[in-house]
Amino acid sequence: MTRTPPTSPAPSEVSMGAALNRALLDAAAEDPDVVVYGEDVGALGGVFRVTDGLSRELGADRVFDSPLAESGIIGTAIGMAMYGLRPVVEMQFDAFAYPAFEQFVSHLAKMRNRTRGTVSVPVVVRVPYGGGIGGVEHHSDSSEAYYTHTPGLRVVTPGTPADAYSMLREAIACDDPVVFLEPKRRYWSKEAVELPVRTEPMERSVVRRTGSDATLVVYGPMVETALEAAAVAAEEGRSLEVVDLRQLTPWDDSVVTASVRRTGRAVVVHEASVFGGYGAEVAARVSERCFHYLEAPVLRVGGLDVPYPPPKLEHLHLPGVDRILAAVDRLQWESRWVADADGTGVDG
């Protein structure tokens, strides 16, 4: 008699928010030094319900609410970490973190260097960031460049639910301070994945889609958008590779440069305003490392250089499939590239 081996059930779909919740629960259950706190993260479970149920599961001494004082949240986390705890704190919204910026720059980022490595501060600061949820100003900023310009901080951002779980677990276990940027509009994006899961180490960029004509360099909320753009481009006969950076600093550029050397063209996409944005560093590094392989200038697509607009206008501000593909069309395919008035370039 032939026996049919049992089949494993297909993994269920998990949202990014649920993956983050599970990561916090698992990390705290395994390590009694992990504490989770911030504004409304306890009984309410967070504005986006990422910490829902954790206080009940772990106890109010492990998951608790803080006063509405961001500087105090980061300051107390630094003190806790210096005495052996592993605090995971939430800023609630991206722009709410600005009152705590002095703590980030002067203390969190510098403590290990200041003490010649004798004192580490393993703090994870969870920051829901970016737009796309109909939020008003102070609720939709993309503030990654402030943190990536601060030596001493690790800055990471997941683009998938699997990465959200794996990278948050890795961030909590890390002895460096980590700014963990969560793309809030992707909290409800789902992926078939079995938790717990371990993906690539967080400092490693990954190729989300292979292609041969051009490379889209993205991170966080733009991963899904870039994959949509690559799918549309494929229908039009153009093959786009999508690289997800994952860790923004320290940045290992090996995956990106290898991709651009294959394709010869690159477009960097992020939600933040283009001028002075993180994409400028990526474009500069690619230009330095891939100069003799490039068939066209490295282009950037990002938010407009204006304060975040009202909800009804945010679709005009945020990069979408059409703006990404318009940039791809400017990559000097069969015509002469001419710089236009704003320096971005047009086909001539």
Side-chain angles (χ1 to χ4, degrees):
M1 180 177 65
T2 302
R3 297 194 177 192
T4 303
T7 58
S8 301
S12 57
E13 289 204 331
V14 178
S15 69
M16 181 176 287
L20 292 166
N21 179 280
R22 174 71 182 276
L24 291 167
L25 177 62
D26 290 352
E30 291 181 15
D31 186 349
D33 290 332
V34 174
V35 293
V36 179
Y37 67 98
E39 298 166 6
D40 295 322
V41 304
L44 180 65
V47 171
F48 298 99
R49 303 299 185 267
V50 172
T51 57
D52 188 36
L54 295 185
S55 181
R56 181 175 61 253
E57 290 285 338
L58 299 167
D61 58 335
R62 302 281 307 283
V63 181
F64 51 89
D65 294 332
S66 71
L68 302 181
E70 289 77 17
S71 183
I73 292 171
I74 301 300
T76 55
I78 294 169
M80 289 181 182
M82 291 173 66
Y83 281 89
L85 296 178
R86 289 186 174 270
V88 183
V89 298
E90 180 183 306
M91 289 288 96
Q92 196 170 76
F93 284 96
D94 30 55
F96 289 10
Y98 299 153
F101 199 63
E102 193 272 338
Q103 292 281 5
F104 278 100
V105 174
S106 297
H107 305 292
L108 186 63
K110 293 182 172 64
M111 186 61 67
R112 175 176 279 186
N113 185 72
R114 180 183 298 142
T115 61
R116 298 185 180 182
T118 60
V119 177
S120 61
V121 281
V123 176
V124 176
V125 185
R126 295 180 42 245
V127 184
Y129 83 118
I133 64 165
V136 294
E137 62 178 14
H138 305 306
H139 296 74
S140 301
D141 280 10
S142 294
S143 47
E144 60 269 24
Y146 301 131
Y147 303 113
T148 59
H149 190 64
T150 305
L153 299 177
R154 285 181 183 254
V155 181
V156 300
T157 178
T160 68
D163 263 0
Y165 178 91
S166 183
M167 292 169 67
L168 184 53
R169 291 296 308 273
E170 194 173 352
I172 295 171
C174 182
D175 287 332
D176 297 323
V178 179
V179 179
F180 196 90
L181 299 172
E182 299 171 4
K184 65 173 77 76
R185 71 151 121 170
R186 303 303 182 197
Y187 276 142
W188 302 275
S189 296
K190 292 186 175 182
E191 177 184 15
V193 61
E194 190 74 34
L195 299 179
V197 65
R198 287 291 179 164
T199 58
E200 290 284 329
M202 64 184 184
E203 66 269 14
R204 181 77 174 169
S205 300
V206 299
V207 176
R208 295 290 179 198
R209 178 184 177 120
T210 58
S212 56
D213 293 336
T215 301
L216 301 181
V217 185
V218 294
Y219 54 86
M222 285 291 102
V223 172
E224 189 172 317
T225 306
L227 290 171
E228 293 171 1
V232 173
E235 296 175 358
E236 299 173 353
R238 202 164 267 167
S239 175
L240 302 182
E241 185 149 297
V242 178
V243 178
D244 179 0
L245 296 184
R246 303 170 81 241
Q247 179 167 283
L248 306 185
T249 185
W251 178 38
D252 175 9
D253 62 20
S254 59
V255 174
V256 171
T257 54
S259 174
V260 176
R261 287 173 181 178
R262 286 195 306 270
T263 65
R265 296 173 171 85
V267 177
V268 188
V269 187
H270 53 59
E271 284 192 11
S273 299
V274 171
F275 188 86
Y278 183 77
E281 173 62 32
V282 177
R285 190 85 66 90
V286 169
S287 297
E288 292 170 0
R289 304 289 173 87
C290 305
F291 181 78
H292 294 289
Y293 297 85
L294 288 170
E295 301 289 342
V298 179
L299 301 183
R300 291 172 290 156
V301 178
L304 305 178
D305 290 326
V306 298
Y308 201 85
K312 290 184 178 180
L313 298 177
E314 70 175 350
H315 67 285
L316 301 174
H317 174 74
L318 297 172
V321 170
D322 289 344
R323 284 174 60 192
I324 294 173
L325 294 182
V328 171
D329 287 341
R330 301 202 308 270
L331 286 174
Q332 242 180 7
W333 297 98
E334 295 177 354
S335 56
R336 182 172 56 88
W337 191 89
V338 180
D340 62 11
D342 65 5
T344 57
V346 296
D347 282 328

